[in-house]
Amino acid sequence: MEPSSGGTTSAARAAEVLLEFGRRSSALGVSEIARSTGISKAVAHRILTTFVECGLLLYEPETRRYLLGPAAATLGARALDVSPLRRMAREALVELQRSTGETATVTGRLPGGRVYLDQVESTQEIKMTVELGRRFELHSGSSGRIILAHLSEDEQEDLLSRPLPRLTATTIIDPDELRAALREARERGVCRSTGERQEGAGSIAAPVFGADGAVIGSVSVCGPSYRMTEEACDRHENVLREAAQRVSRALGHRPAVTAK
């Protein structure tokens, strides 16, 4: 039986409330949830109460705020376990880390954002690591921007029409500057970043495509910015591009052949 429009709306509201916790790194109150999702406080409170009852959220009486619960952790862990992108990228990440000496990561695309699915950490004493499972914006950092560069023009403009948060002093938030960076990344096939999402970090990323030809994520190499110089990125570029292509092929992607 098809769901009613009212039921669909209720489900969408509940999903939006839960997803808001994935966008934040702190506990949230009813007022914050209502303001960020655009729903009333009464509706937000009912949804939050339901999620607490089923273990997806926990309630802190002292602060009157909510945070993700054990059931949400179970879902997140299970999602990583069954992710085809994560599974198909694992071997490529291991090889990428060995050949570059830096941390290798794989990122999955989300609606309007992205999430790190896996990493193989550098064996060097000073290294970069990423937070798996947390939602990040697409405009900041190489892993996100290379995904954004391969979205349709309409999808790009939709994101560029919204306020772009500045995460560091070097985060690109000017729409015209970002458009130029996206064109360069798409033409080159890789994207480079220095300190845009995290100060002191440098990275280079390449896109991963699914069987239908749409971009579904990215593979990257990241490390301290003093090691991830332009010269180092030049050395890593080809092996990174090959790793991303290998993951794409494993997921069923077959690049179109251009007639000569």
Side-chain angles (χ1 to χ4, degrees):
M1 182 173 65
E2 291 293 319
S4 65
S5 58
T8 301
T9 301
S10 297
R13 287 173 175 170
E16 186 61 28
V17 168
L18 191 59
L19 289 172
E20 190 63 23
F21 285 87
R23 302 184 181 108
R24 310 289 189 93
S25 57
S26 60
L28 299 173
V30 174
S31 296
E32 291 171 285
I33 288 292
R35 185 166 53 250
S36 60
T37 60
I39 64 179
S40 70
K41 290 184 181 180
V43 172
H45 184 264
R46 287 199 299 270
I47 293 172
L48 291 167
T49 299
T50 299
F51 284 152
V52 169
E53 291 172 352
C54 63
L56 287 169
L57 297 178
L58 294 176
Y59 178 62
E60 297 179 328
E62 301 83 3
T63 62
R64 302 176 68 180
R65 296 163 76 83
Y66 299 81
L67 67 161
L68 289 174
T74 300
L75 286 177
R78 184 59 180 154
L80 288 178
D81 284 343
V82 301
S83 167
L85 175 54
R86 182 177 188 263
R87 187 171 63 252
M88 295 300 183
R90 184 65 188 181
E91 183 178 342
L93 294 187
V94 171
E95 295 178 3
L96 196 55
Q97 189 282 317
R98 287 174 179 167
S99 62
T100 64
E102 303 292 352
T103 297
T105 77
V106 60
T107 289
R109 175 188 169 190
L110 296 174
R114 66 182 181 91
V115 59
Y116 286 111
L117 299 175
D118 200 4
Q119 65 182 326
V120 176
E121 295 182 17
S122 169
T123 58
Q124 302 193 62
E125 184 175 359
I126 299 176
K127 60 188 175 183
M128 298 303 304
T129 61
V130 299
E131 184 178 351
L132 303 184
R134 178 182 171 188
R135 183 186 185 279
F136 291 100
E137 303 288 341
L138 288 177
H139 73 285
S140 58
S142 65
S143 292
R145 195 160 67 240
I146 195 64
I147 295 174
L148 182 58
H150 287 83
L151 297 182
S152 69
E153 184 176 344
D154 287 344
E155 290 174 304
Q156 290 181 9
E157 290 304 316
D158 179 63
L159 184 142
L160 293 176
S161 68
R162 306 176 187 180
L164 301 174
R166 183 187 293 279
L167 303 181
T168 72
T170 58
T171 303
I172 302 175
I173 60 172
D174 178 76
D176 289 334
E177 186 179 354
L178 191 51
R179 288 188 186 94
L182 294 176
R183 285 194 297 270
E184 179 183 356
R186 184 163 188 138
E187 291 171 1
R188 190 165 188 170
V190 296
C191 180
R192 300 182 182 188
S193 169
T194 301
E196 293 178 23
R197 187 185 65 81
Q198 184 176 348
E199 292 183 357
S203 64
I204 179 172
V208 174
F209 301 95
D212 62 354
V215 63
I216 61 171
S218 61
V219 171
S220 81
V221 173
C222 61
S225 56
Y226 70 84
R227 284 205 307 262
M228 292 295 291
T229 61
E230 285 296 311
E231 293 78 9
C233 287
D234 287 342
R235 293 196 304 272
H236 301 333
E237 190 168 303
N238 285 338
V239 67
L240 174 67
R241 195 182 283 113
E242 291 170 2
Q245 292 171 351
R246 190 159 65 251
V247 176
S248 296
R249 288 195 298 271
L251 291 165
H253 177 60
R254 298 293 181 269
V257 178
T258 303
K260 296 183 179 180

